[in-house]
Amino acid sequence: MEQDSNSEDDSVGPAEDDAQPPFPLGLSDSEAVEVLWQVRTQRRQTEPDLPDTVTRLTTPEGSIVYLVGTAHFSDSSKKDVSTTIRAVQPDVVVVELCQYRVSMLKMDEKTLLKEAKDINLEKVQQAIKQNGVMSGLMQILLLKVSAHITEQLGMAPGGEFREAFKEAGKVPFCKFHLGDRPIPVTFKRAIAALSLWQKARLAWGLCFLSDPISKEDVEKCKQKDLLEQTMSEMIGEFPALHRTIVAERDIYLTHTLRQAASCVEAPPNAEKVPAVVVGVVGMGHVPGIERNWDKELNIHEIMSVAPPSRFAWVVRNVLKGAMWGLLGYACFRASKGVGRALLSFPTVQSLLENIQKPSV
């Protein structure tokens, strides 16, 4: 199951110093394509001087992948990404995002900062509707970790991905791929890997996250991504959770990077030539991608989600009923009007209907 979708921003034009040279008049489409291809080839550096955060990987066909390890809350990571893309003029840029998080590429920093801090009831309901109760709550708790870092630093996450998107739009013929596993699959597999007691302990730790973070801490995390380091410290006693959130995604990212590194067709004769790829991932994923690079990978295994057991189904519905019942009672005691408003929610009405149905 592939999730690496293409996405090019027509609104992003080249920077002034990257402006295309004027074309001779009267060129055919095929001739214009060939000229653009030659322009990019001339700009591409064969022995680029790249930041220390870049790892170079190769394929048997001769394709090159420049893997940029980043910290998700770092201005210097944004510079590393732009420097690399401008130097190597890639055929493909792959980022550690899936289609469920692609909206951050189009939002400005101010909007993202507001979104990250504003975790409201609507977001909770949307997460639960999309991923189920337990996985949805896990997503909200992880958003809380990200929001905590955002609030501490005053910096929105994903700046390196937006930088990659912008720079890819300036490179002729460059494709933009989403390389991460869909987040609902990750959350559902993570939840399935935990016992009920482990879920409660993890939720407790995430709810009471409050340690201060400085910008210096972020830059120290160039050896390991800050968000993933924060999570690793909290889930260190849950190896199964670390496997689903980090190790399995290392495998998936390796898979999408190798796919992106397939040979490309060069004009004018559509000759197959090795590709140049830039991958932008959290620094915590770089060692795993290196380890997996030459291995045979089983993607289907890490994309499957086992159905919940009968016991888990009963526990989930009991907890769900108790949660809504307590919330409804509290609202009723506070105000009869608020209580009536709560009872008008479709979720509550559906729950009451299920309770009232006679058992078969």
Side-chain angles (χ1 to χ4, degrees):
M1 178 178 179
E2 294 180 18
Q3 297 297 332
D4 46 333
S5 55
N6 297 344
S7 174
E8 296 188 24
D9 184 7
D10 295 332
S11 65
V12 178
E16 187 174 335
D17 57 342
D18 290 331
Q20 307 295 346
F23 285 100
L25 296 176
L27 285 181
S28 66
D29 289 346
S30 60
E31 290 172 334
V33 165
E34 189 173 354
V35 169
L36 271 178
W37 186 275
Q38 291 172 354
V39 168
R40 191 188 65 172
T41 302
Q42 291 169 1
R43 290 178 177 173
R44 179 178 287 171
Q45 300 176 22
T46 54
E47 296 293 336
D49 182 17
L50 299 177
D52 294 337
T53 54
V54 178
T55 301
R56 188 178 184 272
L57 302 170
T58 59
T59 71
E61 297 76 26
S63 296
I64 303 174
V65 175
Y66 295 97
L67 193 61
V68 187
T70 67
H72 292 322
F73 295 82
S74 169
D75 285 331
S76 64
S77 284
K78 292 164 61 176
K79 294 176 183 177
D80 291 350
V81 168
S82 62
T83 297
T84 303
I85 293 176
R86 291 181 183 184
V88 306
Q89 297 286 296
D91 299 287
V92 186
V93 170
V94 180
V95 295
E96 184 200 328
L97 288 176
C98 69
Q99 69 268 37
Y100 294 92
R101 294 181 290 155
V102 72
S103 59
M104 73 162 53
L105 294 175
K106 292 282 190 173
M107 292 185 186
D108 57 57
E109 292 281 332
K110 185 177 180 181
T111 303
L112 278 166
L113 202 58
K114 182 177 181 297
E115 286 284 319
K117 293 180 180 180
D118 183 22
I119 300 178
N120 51 34
L121 181 60
E122 183 180 351
K123 285 186 179 180
V124 175
Q125 290 175 331
Q126 183 179 0
I128 291 175
K129 182 179 179 181
Q130 179 177 296
N131 303 307
V133 177
M134 295 304 298
S135 297
L137 292 177
M138 173 65 75
Q139 180 177 350
I140 291 300
L141 290 172
L142 291 177
L143 282 175
K144 184 180 183 299
V145 176
S146 180
H148 169 66
I149 300 173
T150 296
E151 186 175 7
Q152 292 282 316
L153 299 180
M155 182 187 299
E160 75 275 33
F161 302 140
R162 290 187 292 281
E163 191 71 16
F165 185 60
K166 182 180 71 174
E167 291 295 334
K170 301 175 184 177
V171 179
F173 308 109
C174 183
K175 297 179 180 178
F176 191 88
H177 286 192
L178 306 176
D180 203 0
R181 182 171 67 178
I183 199 166
V185 175
T186 297
F187 283 137
K188 287 175 182 177
R189 286 184 60 85
I191 288 297
L194 296 178
S195 68
L196 184 62
W197 174 241
Q198 288 175 325
K199 292 170 189 173
R201 290 172 61 194
L202 179 64
W204 181 266
L206 291 172
C207 284
F208 291 94
L209 179 72
S210 59
D211 293 339
I213 301 166
S214 68
K215 290 190 176 183
E216 288 73 21
D217 292 330
V218 177
E219 295 310 321
K220 289 177 185 176
C221 288
K222 276 300 189 74
Q223 299 307 312
K224 193 168 186 180
D225 177 73
L226 178 60
L227 182 57
E228 285 169 7
Q229 176 167 318
T230 304
M231 289 304 304
S232 294
E233 291 172 355
M234 301 188 64
I235 66 178
E237 46 193 306
F238 308 131
L241 191 60
H242 183 273
R243 183 181 68 247
T244 55
I245 291 180
V246 180
E248 289 184 359
R249 288 172 59 224
D250 290 346
I251 293 173
Y252 194 90
L253 288 164
T254 304
H255 169 71
T256 52
L257 284 165
R258 292 201 313 209
Q259 279 192 322
S262 301
C263 290
V264 296
E265 295 182 351
N269 302 317
E271 178 187 359
K272 293 283 188 179
V273 297
V276 173
V277 177
V278 170
V280 182
V281 302
M283 181 60 76
H285 289 293
V286 173
I289 292 171
E290 287 187 277
R291 284 194 302 269
N292 291 315
W293 189 249
D294 295 318
K295 296 180 180 178
E296 288 191 19
L297 305 176
N298 187 344
I299 296 302
H300 297 293
E301 181 181 345
I302 63 170
M303 291 299 293
S304 62
V305 179
S309 65
R310 180 70 179 175
F311 175 75
W313 181 87
V314 171
V315 170
R316 183 176 69 247
N317 281 278
V318 168
L319 290 175
K320 184 178 179 181
M323 179 183 69
W324 283 112
L326 288 172
L327 183 58
Y329 178 72
C331 291
F332 180 78
R333 289 295 301 270
S335 166
K336 291 183 179 180
V338 175
R340 283 194 295 271
L342 177 68
L343 292 175
S344 68
F345 284 5
T347 305
V348 178
Q349 290 176 354
S350 175
L351 178 63
L352 292 176
E353 288 173 3
N354 291 334
I355 294 173
Q356 290 170 359
K357 285 181 181 178
S359 57
V360 180

